[in-house]
Amino acid sequence: MKYISTRSDKYKVDSAEAIKTGIAPDGGLFVPEEIPQVALGEIEGFASLSYAELAKKILSLYLTDYTDEELSDCVAGAYTSAKFESDEIAPLHKLDGKASVLELWHGPTCAFKDMALQILPHFLVKAIKKTGEDRDVIILVATSGDTGKAALEGFKDVKNTKIQVFYPVCGVSKIQKLQMATQDGSNVSVISVDGNFDDAQTGVKKIFGNEEYINEASDLGYVFSSANSINWGRLVPQIVYYFYAYSRLVKTGEIKCGDKINIVVPTGNFGNILAAYYAKEMGLCVDKLICASNQNNVLTDFIKTGVYDKNRKFETTISPSMDILISSNLERLLFHMSGKNFRLVKEYMTSLSENGKYSVDKDIFDKISSVFRAGYCDDEETKATIKSTFEKYNYTIDTHTAVAKNVYDKYTKETGDTTKTVIASTANPYKFNKAVLEAISDGELPEGEFELIDLLHQISGLDVPKSLAGLKSKFIRFNTTCAKDNLWSETKKFLTK
Ligand SMILES: *Cc1c(COP(=O)(O)O)cnc(C)c1O
């Protein structure tokens, strides 16, 4: 299997190269040249596989330049009970006769980013060797919260790598800050930036794009890489859990193998739902993919009209991981839906960067419409959905999952569709405890984070994840703040240490 760029026909690389470089040199994203197929008979057999076994099967279809042993190593290092607080890794929780919730948040940082970021470092370390690289890798991450922590947990103590995370000093939640400031591992560094997320992101991009810094790092024995969500190595592990969810529905007799399901995904950068699209194209029996957004509803409008227009107010919501106006992974969908028309994709992306806007051709719009549905809700609706789900099913969901549930409810009401549905659940409710408590508690809320956690435990009965409970007794290891144009000196310090 080779990988090509969404913006030209100049490159044809192995998966190791695509994973190592992250983004194609022409600015496009790497996509598989062909989407591999899985026969129905084989899908039937998935019901007897564990998550790790299934992961290896799916990954081997895409990472064909990795040996069997290499893939076994990657999977064994990621999807274990040492890392995930559930033997199932991604358990499916049945709500009622129609809908089940796929819990993707049992990993070390309590958000679905762990599903990919636990395995990406293993892919990357092997990619480095396979491509003949003799330097170590330095991963730089600018984060608004979830990605930074998940990347730190994924890369900590992984040999031949170092990771440095920059977060905006006032731009992350208290829990997120604590999660990062107490990070352990011998190869990690965490710095807060005196600025907002854009400042941190711009700072990191400036390092990646600076010839002099690249050479200096190289002299010290390092090559830069990135762990952000456009890396193919982050997308491919996400395909696995849609096959897994389907196989569990078959296993429990909810559906017969061959029946179609719908999938609802709370969406930001379009990575998670794109993975569901790949699963469908591979042969998983999926009817509709339902894209759920918060008030930053640029994708809802796009899927309904074919016009992508980011020229609108950025809303700060209680589902912050979906506060996004440019959904980078949509570029991959456009490539596939246009019949691999890289010229057209490039035109759209140029228009997006120059005018903040593009509209797709009618045949692309028709194709998208045949698969995707979309909807959105605001913060009040999100909280109302957390409350109604709690009251009706005695089940607590976080704000992001609630957006998906709300959009699913609207969809079924509007269409009368009774297809069995999987709702992707992307964060542990404890990670957004304040907003969740505002939805399900009548009393006044305490101030402190750990008091909020205790209260949520009392009301919901949900187990407090060990990684969050343990924060209380961990010491603050990182408390350096740097000026927003001083990131490189921090990186250099870290590399010479
Ligand atoms: C990152 C994230 C999302 C959005 O996922 P995309 O792949 O960017 O669409 C949704 N929910 C949570 C909790 C996240 O961390």
Side-chain angles (χ1 to χ4, degrees):
M1 170 83 66
K2 296 286 182 187
Y3 289 80
I4 53 180
S5 166
T6 50
R7 295 194 194 176
S8 74
D9 58 0
K10 279 194 273 192
Y11 313 99
K12 206 176 218 187
V13 302
D14 285 334
S15 75
E17 181 69 24
I19 289 168
K20 189 180 99 173
T21 40
I23 190 162
D26 58 8
L29 307 187
F30 282 117
V31 284
E33 201 175 18
E34 302 292 339
I35 296 177
Q37 299 298 304
V38 185
L40 197 59
E42 204 170 343
I43 294 176
E44 188 135 39
F46 289 171
S48 62
L49 300 185
S50 69
Y51 192 90
E53 287 165 338
L54 179 57
K56 198 181 151 192
K57 272 219 161 19
I58 301 294
L59 294 173
S60 70
L61 301 173
Y62 283 100
L63 311 188
T64 50
D65 50 323
Y66 285 64
T67 65
D68 195 64
E69 198 190 341
E70 284 171 332
L71 285 179
S72 293
D73 261 15
C74 291
V75 167
Y79 302 121
T80 66
S81 55
K83 307 273 190 181
F84 285 78
E85 283 190 31
S86 161
D87 292 339
E88 290 269 314
I89 306 297
L92 196 61
H93 179 97
K94 183 175 166 177
L95 277 189
D96 55 26
K98 281 186 301 184
S100 297
V101 176
L102 178 61
E103 297 180 350
L104 300 171
W105 40 259
H106 291 274
T109 77
C110 304
F112 98 100
K113 305 270 188 303
D114 289 328
M115 300 303 298
L117 277 164
Q118 280 297 312
I119 198 162
L120 175 72
H122 299 285
F123 292 159
L124 190 62
V125 167
K126 293 193 162 49
I128 298 289
K129 287 229 176 79
K130 296 168 82 66
T131 55
E133 178 62 64
D134 53 10
R135 294 165 293 182
D136 282 1
V137 180
I138 167 74
I139 304 282
L140 296 182
V141 184
T143 185
S144 56
D146 285 345
T147 303
K149 178 61 186 178
L152 284 164
E153 277 299 318
F155 279 96
K156 79 169 179 198
D157 296 326
V158 172
K159 57 181 188 326
N160 302 117
T161 72
K162 276 191 175 184
I163 175 165
Q164 185 168 51
V165 169
F166 295 96
Y167 71 87
V169 70
C170 294
V172 300
S173 78
K174 278 188 209 158
I175 284 277
Q176 287 173 324
K177 193 175 214 159
L178 262 181
Q179 278 186 309
M180 290 189 278
T182 59
Q183 178 66 43
D184 42 38
S186 56
N187 61 339
V188 305
S189 159
V190 177
I191 308 278
S192 59
V193 177
D194 194 7
N196 59 26
F197 172 64
D198 274 340
D199 295 324
Q201 171 133 295
T202 307
V204 166
K205 278 193 181 155
K206 273 190 189 154
I207 297 178
F208 281 135
N210 187 313
E211 201 75 33
E212 200 182 308
Y213 297 166
I214 293 171
N215 290 334
E216 271 189 73
S218 183
D219 289 344
L220 292 166
Y222 290 93
V223 56
F224 290 123
S225 188
S226 103
N228 68 21
S229 76
I230 51 180
N231 192 317
W232 178 253
R234 271 191 63 179
L235 201 71
V236 68
Q238 300 185 352
I239 299 170
V240 175
Y241 48 71
Y242 292 111
F243 280 95
Y244 186 74
Y246 189 89
S247 73
R248 298 309 109 161
L249 288 173
V250 171
K251 192 175 178 174
T252 54
E254 285 290 307
I255 58 171
K256 288 196 306 296
C257 192
D259 290 350
K260 283 193 170 178
I261 61 166
N262 290 338
I263 297 174
V264 191
V265 185
T267 298
N269 214 12
F270 210 77
N272 203 358
I273 194 166
L274 184 71
Y277 171 75
Y278 278 114
K280 177 175 163 62
E281 290 302 293
M282 289 167 75
L284 189 67
C285 313
V286 176
D287 189 24
K288 295 289 179 287
L289 295 172
I290 301 168
C291 174
S293 302
N294 63 24
Q295 267 185 291
N296 295 292
N297 57 358
V298 59
L299 284 167
T300 314
D301 290 346
F302 173 69
I303 289 168
K304 290 193 168 168
T305 66
V307 179
Y308 195 98
D309 187 353
K310 76 162 187 81
N311 301 305
R312 59 183 74 205
K313 189 169 164 273
F314 178 87
E315 304 278 352
T316 302
T317 74
I318 57 172
S319 44
S321 304
M322 294 153 68
D323 290 348
I324 247 176
L325 289 178
I326 299 185
S327 297
S328 316
N329 269 303
L330 192 58
E331 181 169 345
R332 287 188 164 112
L333 183 74
L334 296 173
F335 182 79
H336 293 298
M337 289 287 190
S338 67
K340 304 183 190 171
N341 189 336
F342 56 84
R343 286 184 192 88
L344 196 56
V345 173
K346 191 170 173 190
E347 242 173 64
Y348 293 157
M349 292 304 122
T350 306
S351 172
L352 182 64
S353 71
E354 286 173 3
N355 316 311
K357 190 175 167 172
Y358 60 86
S359 44
V360 295
D361 293 4
K362 182 163 184 316
D363 60 318
I364 298 179
F365 177 63
D366 289 345
K367 272 193 206 152
I368 292 175
S369 303
S370 69
V371 179
F372 287 87
R373 293 292 177 272
Y376 76 99
C377 69
D378 64 22
D379 283 355
E380 285 316 307
E381 294 175 291
T382 305
K383 283 188 195 169
T385 304
I386 294 173
K387 188 175 164 70
S388 62
T389 305
F390 182 66
E391 286 173 351
K392 192 165 173 193
Y393 304 107
N394 191 25
Y395 182 65
T396 314
I397 53 176
D398 91 293
T399 49
H400 304 76
T401 309
V403 169
K405 174 71 165 66
N406 179 284
V407 169
Y408 167 68
D409 289 343
K410 283 177 184 158
Y411 168 80
T412 50
K413 198 162 171 199
E414 201 180 294
T415 59
D417 191 346
T418 56
T419 306
K420 292 268 159 80
T421 297
V422 169
I423 299 171
S425 176
T426 49
N428 188 311
Y430 282 103
K431 207 155 183 188
F432 299 92
N433 50 31
K434 185 146 181 281
V436 172
L437 277 166
E438 280 167 2
I440 62 174
S441 147
D442 299 324
E444 198 153 304
L445 298 184
E447 279 289 314
E449 284 301 319
F450 296 104
E451 287 72 20
L452 288 169
I453 288 178
D454 287 345
L455 182 61
L456 185 53
H457 177 64
Q458 279 169 33
I459 295 178
S460 69
L462 191 68
D463 288 341
V464 181
K466 283 193 218 97
S467 57
L468 291 187
L471 282 178
K472 207 171 178 172
S473 55
K474 285 189 112 173
F475 84 106
I476 304 284
R477 184 175 169 206
F478 298 103
N479 55 9
T480 305
T481 302
C482 78
K484 64 184 182 189
D485 36 41
N486 216 13
L487 273 57
W488 170 244
S489 75
E490 292 298 331
T491 303
K492 210 167 134 180
K493 238 188 274 172
F494 180 48
L495 292 183
T496 42
K497 214 161 57 183

